[in-house]
Amino acid sequence: MDDAGALRAELADQLLGDGVLHEPRWLKAFREVPRHEFLPRFYRRLPDGDWEAVTSEHPDWLGLVYSDRVWVTQFDGDDTVTGGTPTCSSSMPTIMAIMLEALDVRPGHRVLEVGTGTGYNAALLCHAVGSENVTTVDVDPNLSRRARERLHRNGFHPVCEAGDGALGHPGRAPFDRLLATCSVATVPPAWLEQTRPGGLVVTTLHRPIGAGLVRITSNGDGTGEGRVLAEDGRFMPLRAHARPPALAGTGTFDRRTTTLRFRTVADPASPFEFFAGTALPGVAAGRDMLAHPDGSWVRHHGSHVDQGGPRRLWDLAENAVAEWHDLGEPRRHDFGVSIAADGTFLTLGGRRWRL
């Protein structure tokens, strides 16, 4: 076995040991599909915050490719720059495995992937269900072209096209499964219209606070029901669903003491964070700061907070913590997802919140 093959086997065994791989088809795919063929160049962040380009000439390239890490491959939609806002990456293999397992594909299933990126995930799908059953779409024609070339070079021949992923791919519908390797603020109706009744859509909710992987069973008419998965997942948003960063708060403000820690509200590791995104719709988090498009903001200073704008966001956050406790401290996997004609909703018990 060559070095790449040994590293692939080691990564696959790690995913198996961590309990994120169960299906033999996915274990075989991770052991046999060469990730390095789809990552000839990527970027890693250095301790000083700068980005370093890593290519096959780098002595650590192959070992880094087969580590369980996400690697940025593009900034600001431009392949010639180093640094900026990441707009394409090769996802962390653990998250890829979780989503592929959640997709529950079977032989002969027709699959649409939204977000081709490097093409590596499309290759895993082709390995599992056959290239003839896989369609993959990316908004960036350059990414789509390079992914197609890499897929063909490695023996995979899915339908690989450039286009707006929010529209799906009506020419190849209906699909049995749809996997979006980008996140969305709401689930596009086209995805559920193009997924047969009983078929599955797996994607990630993109919210300013509290993202989450979701799996939805389609009704075939643009509606569906599902759940938020227990596992966390954070993906780059579908470009049409990207949100601008929160602006720094300005103007007059009130100051008061607080015992609620900022990370309780905004840290992805906090069990409250997902509920916080539900209770504080539209509120985005920055460094020790929350802000809303209506101009409301709060800056957290540890023992006290400054609040400005028309609403007192930290008061709302503290009220949400009390409500969360009253509801039994629900976690992300306690929430359902409902897609109806009038929008996408999170559900918990008899309550629902519009996304």
Side-chain angles (χ1 to χ4, degrees), residues 82-170:
T82 300
T85 301
T87 48
C88 183
S89 67
S90 180
S91 303
M92 184 178 181
T94 285
I95 299 300
M96 296 174 68
I98 289 169
M99 294 184 75
L100 289 168
E101 290 271 354
L103 201 61
D104 191 28
V105 297
R106 295 289 181 262
H109 274 170
R110 292 166 52 81
V111 182
L112 172 63
E113 178 194 39
V114 177
T116 309
T118 67
Y120 176 52
N121 199 69
L124 294 170
L125 287 166
C126 290
H127 188 286
V129 300
S131 294
E132 68 279 7
N133 292 314
V134 177
T135 303
T136 182
V137 178
D138 199 287
V139 69
D140 188 321
N142 290 324
L143 290 178
S144 183
R145 174 183 53 79
R146 279 196 297 274
R148 184 187 303 110
E149 292 170 353
R150 293 166 184 163
L151 285 159
H152 288 183
R153 191 163 57 242
N154 287 277
F156 302 111
H157 297 273
V159 172
C160 187
E161 294 191 5
D164 183 353
L167 303 179
H169 195 295

Side-chain angles (χ1 to χ4, degrees), residues 156-309:
F156 302 111
H157 297 273
V159 172
C160 187
E161 294 191 5
D164 183 353
L167 303 179
H169 195 295
R172 293 270 288 174
F175 300 98
D176 299 284
R177 300 288 187 266
L178 188 150
L179 177 67
T181 53
C182 52
S183 58
V184 292
T186 58
V187 178
W191 292 2
L192 293 168
E193 291 167 358
Q194 294 172 29
T195 302
R196 67 167 179 80
L200 298 177
V201 172
V202 176
T203 186
T204 307
L205 292 179
H206 172 62
R207 304 196 297 164
I209 300 175
L213 299 174
V214 296
R215 181 171 63 184
I216 301 155
T217 300
S218 171
N219 294 326
D221 59 358
T223 67
E225 303 287 337
R227 300 209 64 78
V228 180
L229 302 183
E231 299 85 359
D232 195 7
R234 313 274 163 151
F235 283 83
M236 295 175 191
L238 193 73
R239 293 191 190 181
H241 289 213
R243 298 174 185 266
L247 299 176
T250 58
T252 60
F253 60 87
D254 297 328
R255 175 171 291 179
R256 70 170 182 80
T257 60
T258 185
T259 58
L260 178 62
R261 296 180 298 177
F262 186 81
R263 67 181 185 182
T264 298
V265 177
D267 189 335
S270 168
F272 170 69
E273 186 233 15
F274 191 85
F275 186 86
T278 300
L280 302 170
V283 175
R287 184 174 177 83
D288 296 324
M289 181 178 178
L290 303 178
H292 189 276
D294 69 3
S296 300
W297 59 273
V298 59
R299 195 176 298 278
H300 194 280
H301 299 281
S303 62
H304 66 275
V305 292
D306 298 333
Q307 302 184 90

Side-chain angles (χ1 to χ4, degrees), residues 51-68:
W51 292 92
E52 175 192 29
V54 179
T55 71
S56 58
E57 304 299 319
H58 195 289
D60 298 328
W61 171 69
L62 199 60
L64 291 171
V65 165
Y66 287 105
S67 62
D68 189 22

Side-chain angles (χ1 to χ4, degrees), residues 41-79:
R41 178 186 179 92
F42 58 89
Y43 302 90
R44 66 171 172 176
R45 197 152 208 170
L46 301 175
D48 63 5
D50 288 338
W51 292 92
E52 175 192 29
V54 179
T55 71
S56 58
E57 304 299 319
H58 195 289
D60 298 328
W61 171 69
L62 199 60
L64 291 171
V65 165
Y66 287 105
S67 62
D68 189 22
R69 296 177 64 180
V70 56
W71 294 118
V72 172
T73 58
Q74 184 192 68
F75 296 96
D76 295 320
D78 187 339
D79 302 317

